[in-house]
Amino acid sequence: MNKIGILTSGGDAPGMNAAIRAVTRKCIYHGLEVYGINNGYQGLIEGNIKKMELGSVGDIIHRGGTILFSARCEEFKTDAGQQKGIEQLEKFGIDALVVIGGDGSFHGAQKLTEKGFPCIGVPATIDNDIAGTNFTIGFDTALNTIIEAIDKIRDTATSHERTYVIEVMGRDAGDLALWSGLADGAESILIPEKQADFDDVIERLEKGMKRGKKHSIIVLAEGVGSGIEYGDKIKEAINLETRVTVLGHIQRGGSPTAADRVLASRLGAKAVDLLLEGKEGRMVGLYNNELIDFSIEEILAEKHVVNMDMYKLSQELSI
Ligand code: F6P
């Protein structure tokens, strides 16, 4: 094992740069050469590959986005696309690949491993929807971005005594909505993992208004549906005008929090350790603050589980 490739793929996540830095520096520390692949699997197919030096990853630990760029690549889902990728890796003499991304990216890593090319996955997505790790890189930063936005919305919501529906990202997962809703004392939190009772949402709103609450916040995960439609539904039910904010891609940007930088540094370095131990087809993760690794195949077959105790707690605290 002499030459290691790195790529970032799928939706970018704050902390990806810290992970790229950790993989690069840890490889160089152990005397390995590192190659950065631009634009995820698309760049791999095209041979958009460059050698990384210590300085290539200087001054990036605090930056959002990814210096290697990212892409979602349909061609790589095909056998022919994967074969083209392997040919490029062989052309550059690369022996193994570290893939930083979410579940779509891990499907690619699994396919390469099945075709005989060793890969290690590092979980990075704001959605926190990967099994086998308590946290994915980028989740904490996105969560803090949401909190900052909701705090600001709360100011204007109070001044105008308004109800806000705030739609947050997360794809099919409710972690961003649940954690931000709990951290911001939302009246209701709507997540795909738990069918919300609309009557209960209305009851909470009405109860709050009766006891003189100046505003109400409903946090809705995008996986549940559209915030705008939900606002209309409330208006129809009780003639209450709402304002809707769809936070959108602001949740993916920004300087990573300390927690994400540390997580990315630990997971990135662990990925290199696994390669040095001769492991392949594994994903690194953090479980109860311990670094662990699982087979990517198993991880892809499992579903990330949302913490229902936290959901119950949010219901109890927002009475
Ligand atoms: O997976 C990260 C994520 O931001 C999801 O939360 C969201 O559903 C999706 O990516 C948006 O993807 P795109 O940036 O391709 O529109």
Side-chain angles (χ1 to χ4, degrees):
M1 180 86 47
N2 289 314
K3 295 185 182 179
I4 308 294
I6 325 173
L7 62 78
T8 48
S9 154
D12 62 346
M16 276 184 162
N17 279 330
I20 295 168
R21 172 182 177 272
V23 173
T24 305
R25 296 249 163 120
K26 179 85 170 165
C27 280
I28 295 175
Y29 176 84
H30 288 290
L32 304 170
E33 282 184 27
V34 193
Y35 288 80
I37 297 149
N38 283 325
N39 302 331
Y41 292 118
Q42 189 60 47
L44 177 59
I45 288 173
E46 292 161 3
N48 189 349
I49 299 173
K50 62 186 179 205
K51 186 155 188 275
M52 308 278 279
E53 308 292 349
L54 278 181
S56 316
V57 292
D59 201 28
I60 65 165
I61 195 167
H62 61 300
R63 295 189 197 281
T66 158
I67 59 159
L68 292 177
F69 310 103
S70 194
R72 302 192 197 276
C73 176
E74 285 304 311
E75 192 182 351
F76 203 74
K77 291 181 183 158
T78 67
D79 256 5
Q82 291 150 18
Q83 208 45 53
K84 278 189 201 167
I86 291 179
E87 279 160 26
Q88 293 291 355
L89 289 162
E90 283 169 355
K91 190 169 128 197
F92 282 80
I94 296 171
D95 303 302
L97 187 62
V98 176
V99 172
I100 304 168
D103 60 349
S105 315
F106 291 169
H107 273 108
Q110 176 59 21
K111 288 291 174 198
L112 288 178
T113 305
E114 282 168 15
K115 287 184 158 60
F117 195 88
C119 290
I120 300 289
V122 175
T125 161
I126 63 164
D127 301 336
N128 206 37
D129 60 348
I130 311 267
T133 186
N134 292 143
F135 298 108
T136 56
I137 297 165
F139 172 68
D140 187 66
T141 308
L143 182 59
N144 279 284
T145 302
I146 296 171
I147 298 304
E148 204 186 321
I150 297 182
D151 286 349
K152 285 180 177 156
I153 288 168
R154 190 187 273 276
D155 289 345
T156 174
T158 312
S159 308
H160 289 268
E161 302 193 23
R162 273 176 179 156
T163 295
Y164 268 80
V165 177
I166 300 169
E167 183 188 315
V168 303
M169 279 187 169
R171 205 181 289 275
D172 303 322
D175 275 44
L176 279 174
L178 175 57
W179 285 63
S180 62
L182 182 59
D184 238 305
E187 272 60 42
S188 291
I189 301 172
L190 307 170
I191 56 173
E193 293 86 349
K194 170 91 184 135
Q195 191 78 27
D197 180 1
F198 185 65
D199 292 343
D200 178 57
V201 173
I202 296 297
E203 199 181 307
R204 280 167 187 278
L205 281 177
E206 287 181 326
K207 246 169 125 182
M209 286 186 293
K210 265 198 205 115
R211 72 175 173 85
K213 277 199 81 164
K214 295 289 179 218
H215 67 256
S216 290
I217 303 276
I218 297 169
V219 179
L220 172 120
E222 64 176 352
V224 170
S226 143
I228 294 176
E229 283 170 19
Y230 208 85
D232 290 345
K233 203 168 151 187
I234 294 173
K235 168 96 177 143
E236 238 172 67
I238 52 168
N239 198 27
L240 174 72
E241 211 180 304
T242 59
R243 290 288 185 273
V244 179
T245 300
V246 179
L247 289 181
H249 285 80
I250 193 172
Q251 295 161 95
R252 285 238 296 262
S255 179
T257 57
D260 271 331
R261 295 180 204 191
V262 171
L263 178 66
S265 302
R266 293 178 75 189
L267 294 182
K270 173 78 176 172
V272 178
D273 282 338
L274 293 186
L275 287 173
L276 290 169
E277 286 165 24
K279 292 191 178 172
E280 58 182 60
R282 313 287 294 172
M283 181 198 86
V284 292
L286 192 76
Y287 191 76
N288 289 344
N289 206 24
E290 295 281 333
L291 291 169
I292 47 153
D293 60 282
F294 282 109
S295 116
I296 295 181
E297 197 178 8
E298 268 173 42
I299 291 302
L300 290 174
E302 261 183 59
K303 215 177 147 32
H304 165 76
V305 182
V306 81
N307 186 331
M308 289 315 288
D309 288 343
M310 267 176 59
Y311 181 80
K312 190 168 164 274
L313 176 64
S314 75
Q315 297 274 96
E316 289 167 357
L317 299 186
S318 62
I319 42 174

mmCIF file of all heavy atoms in Angstrom, residues 6-27:
data_model
loop_
_atom_site.group_PDB
_atom_site.id
_atom_site.type_symbol
_atom_site.label_atom_id
_atom_site.label_comp_id
_atom_site.label_asym_id
_atom_site.label_seq_id
_atom_site.Cartn_x
_atom_site.Cartn_y
_atom_site.Cartn_z
ATOM 1 N N ILE A 6 -8.255 10.087 -2.420
ATOM 2 C CA ILE A 6 -9.372 10.582 -1.596
ATOM 3 C C ILE A 6 -10.346 11.272 -2.529
ATOM 4 O O ILE A 6 -9.931 12.022 -3.432
ATOM 5 C CB ILE A 6 -9.017 11.737 -0.620
ATOM 6 C CG1 ILE A 6 -7.614 11.618 -0.061
ATOM 7 C CG2 ILE A 6 -10.049 11.922 0.453
ATOM 8 C CD1 ILE A 6 -7.247 12.864 0.760
ATOM 9 N N LEU A 7 -11.641 11.104 -2.241
ATOM 10 C CA LEU A 7 -12.633 11.923 -2.945
ATOM 11 C C LEU A 7 -13.771 12.271 -1.999
ATOM 12 O O LEU A 7 -14.010 11.569 -1.008
ATOM 13 C CB LEU A 7 -13.136 11.235 -4.220
ATOM 14 C CG LEU A 7 -13.865 9.891 -4.169
ATOM 15 C CD1 LEU A 7 -15.324 10.051 -3.745
ATOM 16 C CD2 LEU A 7 -13.849 9.268 -5.569
ATOM 17 N N THR A 8 -14.455 13.368 -2.315
ATOM 18 C CA THR A 8 -15.683 13.734 -1.604
ATOM 19 C C THR A 8 -16.813 13.644 -2.616
ATOM 20 O O THR A 8 -16.640 13.995 -3.783
ATOM 21 C CB THR A 8 -15.597 15.165 -1.017
ATOM 22 O OG1 THR A 8 -15.123 16.073 -2.032
ATOM 23 C CG2 THR A 8 -14.646 15.234 0.152
ATOM 24 N N SER A 9 -17.958 13.156 -2.157
ATOM 25 C CA SER A 9 -19.033 12.895 -3.124
ATOM 26 C C SER A 9 -20.394 13.174 -2.485
ATOM 27 O O SER A 9 -20.530 13.195 -1.263
ATOM 28 C CB SER A 9 -18.884 11.438 -3.562
ATOM 29 O OG SER A 9 -20.088 10.907 -3.991
ATOM 30 N N GLY A 10 -21.394 13.423 -3.332
ATOM 31 C CA GLY A 10 -22.746 13.718 -2.841
ATOM 32 C C GLY A 10 -22.835 15.149 -2.335
ATOM 33 O O GLY A 10 -21.983 15.989 -2.647
ATOM 34 N N GLY A 11 -23.865 15.429 -1.524
ATOM 35 C CA GLY A 11 -24.022 16.779 -0.976
ATOM 36 C C GLY A 11 -22.845 17.126 -0.090
ATOM 37 O O GLY A 11 -22.429 16.308 0.737
ATOM 38 N N ASP A 12 -22.274 18.302 -0.263
ATOM 39 C CA ASP A 12 -21.123 18.661 0.580
ATOM 40 C C ASP A 12 -21.583 18.850 2.030
ATOM 41 O O ASP A 12 -22.772 19.031 2.297
ATOM 42 C CB ASP A 12 -20.405 19.918 0.047
ATOM 43 C CG ASP A 12 -21.291 21.146 0.049
ATOM 44 O OD1 ASP A 12 -22.518 21.000 0.211
ATOM 45 O OD2 ASP A 12 -20.768 22.256 -0.108
ATOM 46 N N ALA A 13 -20.633 18.778 2.947
ATOM 47 C CA ALA A 13 -20.961 18.926 4.367
ATOM 48 C C ALA A 13 -19.800 19.638 5.045
ATOM 49 O O ALA A 13 -18.637 19.316 4.767
ATOM 50 C CB ALA A 13 -21.171 17.549 5.001
ATOM 51 N N PRO A 14 -20.098 20.603 5.951
ATOM 52 C CA PRO A 14 -19.014 21.291 6.637
ATOM 53 C C PRO A 14 -18.192 20.294 7.458
ATOM 54 O O PRO A 14 -18.760 19.496 8.202
ATOM 55 C CB PRO A 14 -19.740 22.283 7.561
ATOM 56 C CG PRO A 14 -21.149 22.345 7.059
ATOM 57 C CD PRO A 14 -21.429 21.059 6.366
ATOM 58 N N GLY A 15 -16.895 20.345 7.285
ATOM 59 C CA GLY A 15 -16.024 19.380 7.968
ATOM 60 C C GLY A 15 -15.387 18.429 6.962
ATOM 61 O O GLY A 15 -14.431 17.719 7.286
ATOM 62 N N MET A 16 -15.895 18.426 5.718
ATOM 63 C CA MET A 16 -15.258 17.561 4.716
ATOM 64 C C MET A 16 -13.796 17.958 4.533
ATOM 65 O O MET A 16 -12.925 17.102 4.380
ATOM 66 C CB MET A 16 -15.989 17.678 3.365
ATOM 67 C CG MET A 16 -17.217 16.785 3.261
ATOM 68 S SD MET A 16 -17.958 16.891 1.628
ATOM 69 C CE MET A 16 -18.983 15.402 1.628
ATOM 70 N N ASN A 17 -13.532 19.261 4.556
ATOM 71 C CA ASN A 17 -12.138 19.708 4.380
ATOM 72 C C ASN A 17 -11.246 19.218 5.518
ATOM 73 O O ASN A 17 -10.102 18.815 5.286
ATOM 74 C CB ASN A 17 -12.069 21.235 4.304
ATOM 75 C CG ASN A 17 -12.419 21.741 2.918
ATOM 76 O OD1 ASN A 17 -12.183 21.040 1.923
ATOM 77 N ND2 ASN A 17 -12.989 22.932 2.836
ATOM 78 N N ALA A 18 -11.794 19.247 6.735
ATOM 79 C CA ALA A 18 -11.006 18.757 7.879
ATOM 80 C C ALA A 18 -10.721 17.268 7.706
ATOM 81 O O ALA A 18 -9.645 16.779 8.097
ATOM 82 C CB ALA A 18 -11.762 19.026 9.180
ATOM 83 N N ALA A 19 -11.670 16.535 7.109
ATOM 84 C CA ALA A 19 -11.462 15.093 6.874
ATOM 85 C C ALA A 19 -10.406 14.884 5.782
ATOM 86 O O ALA A 19 -9.539 14.011 5.906
ATOM 87 C CB ALA A 19 -12.779 14.428 6.496
ATOM 88 N N ILE A 20 -10.462 15.705 4.731
ATOM 89 C CA ILE A 20 -9.451 15.596 3.649
ATOM 90 C C ILE A 20 -8.065 15.855 4.232
ATOM 91 O O ILE A 20 -7.090 15.168 3.945
ATOM 92 C CB ILE A 20 -9.745 16.627 2.530
ATOM 93 C CG1 ILE A 20 -11.070 16.322 1.843
ATOM 94 C CG2 ILE A 20 -8.590 16.697 1.524
ATOM 95 C CD1 ILE A 20 -11.578 17.446 0.933
ATOM 96 N N ARG A 21 -8.002 16.859 5.089
ATOM 97 C CA ARG A 21 -6.719 17.213 5.724
ATOM 98 C C ARG A 21 -6.202 16.047 6.570
ATOM 99 O O ARG A 21 -5.015 15.694 6.499
ATOM 100 C CB ARG A 21 -6.921 18.466 6.586
ATOM 101 C CG ARG A 21 -5.720 18.840 7.442
ATOM 102 C CD ARG A 21 -6.072 20.068 8.288
ATOM 103 N NE ARG A 21 -4.988 20.443 9.174
ATOM 104 C CZ ARG A 21 -4.827 19.955 10.397
ATOM 105 N NH1 ARG A 21 -5.662 19.038 10.862
ATOM 106 N NH2 ARG A 21 -3.827 20.365 11.148
ATOM 107 N N ALA A 22 -7.111 15.458 7.349
ATOM 108 C CA ALA A 22 -6.690 14.371 8.246
ATOM 109 C C ALA A 22 -6.176 13.174 7.442
ATOM 110 O O ALA A 22 -5.125 12.608 7.771
ATOM 111 C CB ALA A 22 -7.860 13.952 9.137
ATOM 112 N N VAL A 23 -6.912 12.814 6.378
ATOM 113 C CA VAL A 23 -6.483 11.655 5.568
ATOM 114 C C VAL A 23 -5.113 11.962 4.947
ATOM 115 O O VAL A 23 -4.180 11.149 5.002
ATOM 116 C CB VAL A 23 -7.527 11.335 4.463
ATOM 117 C CG1 VAL A 23 -7.015 10.247 3.528
ATOM 118 C CG2 VAL A 23 -8.858 10.920 5.082
ATOM 119 N N THR A 24 -4.986 13.154 4.375
ATOM 120 C CA THR A 24 -3.739 13.520 3.685
ATOM 121 C C THR A 24 -2.555 13.528 4.636
ATOM 122 O O THR A 24 -1.513 12.911 4.380
ATOM 123 C CB THR A 24 -3.892 14.919 3.033
ATOM 124 O OG1 THR A 24 -5.029 14.885 2.181
ATOM 125 C CG2 THR A 24 -2.657 15.312 2.248
ATOM 126 N N ARG A 25 -2.734 14.214 5.760
ATOM 127 C CA ARG A 25 -1.599 14.350 6.693
ATOM 128 C C ARG A 25 -1.236 13.006 7.329
ATOM 129 O O ARG A 25 -0.059 12.698 7.517
ATOM 130 C CB ARG A 25 -1.934 15.392 7.771
ATOM 131 C CG ARG A 25 -2.115 16.797 7.182
ATOM 132 C CD ARG A 25 -0.997 17.716 7.590
ATOM 133 N NE ARG A 25 -0.950 18.900 6.741
ATOM 134 C CZ ARG A 25 -1.083 20.151 7.176
ATOM 135 N NH1 ARG A 25 -1.307 20.393 8.443
ATOM 136 N NH2 ARG A 25 -0.979 21.160 6.329
ATOM 137 N N LYS A 26 -2.260 12.215 7.653
ATOM 138 C CA LYS A 26 -1.998 10.917 8.285
ATOM 139 C C LYS A 26 -1.265 10.002 7.295
ATOM 140 O O LYS A 26 -0.343 9.277 7.678
ATOM 141 C CB LYS A 26 -3.343 10.316 8.704
ATOM 142 C CG LYS A 26 -3.264 8.980 9.356
ATOM 143 C CD LYS A 26 -2.995 9.061 10.845
ATOM 144 C CE LYS A 26 -3.173 7.673 11.454
ATOM 145 N NZ LYS A 26 -2.629 7.556 12.769
ATOM 146 N N CYS A 27 -1.653 10.069 6.025
ATOM 147 C CA CYS A 27 -0.952 9.267 5.007
ATOM 148 C C CYS A 27 0.502 9.710 4.908
ATOM 149 O O CYS A 27 1.425 8.878 4.936
ATOM 150 C CB CYS A 27 -1.610 9.455 3.636
ATOM 151 S SG CYS A 27 -3.085 8.476 3.409
#
